[in-house]
Amino acid sequence: MRVLLPRALVDLFPGAATVTEVEAVTVDAALDALDRRWPGMRARLADTRPAIRKHINVFIDGERATLRTRLKPGDEVCILTAISGG
């Protein structure tokens, strides 16, 4: 499946791209695949509970996802950083 990463995250990992392909059956496994390519990326996206960090949003084909969300071939995983302000 195709994974879309935010520029702010990509800039922290030399060689990372805003669009990449991974094979995974869950969001959790997709984060592991990203971490194998760019060590430390998973820690930026998920915590030790394990859960997606509160300032990160993951969407699968436009639907909000958790680490347990199942993936299928052709899915688009979009990882976004939360925007806040006042």
Side-chain angles (χ1 to χ4, degrees), residues 8-19:
L9 180 66
V10 168
D11 289 345
L12 299 174
F13 296 91
T18 56
V19 180

Side-chain angles (χ1 to χ4, degrees), residues 3-86:
V3 180
L4 308 173
L5 298 169
R7 172 59 56 194
L9 180 66
V10 168
D11 289 345
L12 299 174
F13 296 91
T18 56
V19 180
T20 191
E21 297 281 331
V22 300
E23 291 184 25
V25 296
T26 63
V27 170
D28 192 41
L31 297 188
D32 286 342
L34 292 170
D35 198 65
R36 282 190 296 279
R37 287 186 193 168
W38 302 292
M41 187 174 284
R42 180 185 175 84
R44 297 281 181 159
L45 301 172
D47 60 26
T48 57
R49 290 181 274 167
I52 295 169
R53 291 192 177 278
K54 65 181 177 180
H55 64 280
I56 299 293
N57 296 298
V58 177
F59 295 91
I60 310 303
D61 296 328
E63 298 290 323
R64 182 166 244 172
T66 69
L67 291 177
R68 292 180 288 169
T69 301
R70 303 225 18 108
L71 302 171
K72 59 189 180 309
D75 279 348
E76 183 173 82
V77 180
C78 184
I79 300 173
L80 301 171
T81 54
I83 299 172
S84 62

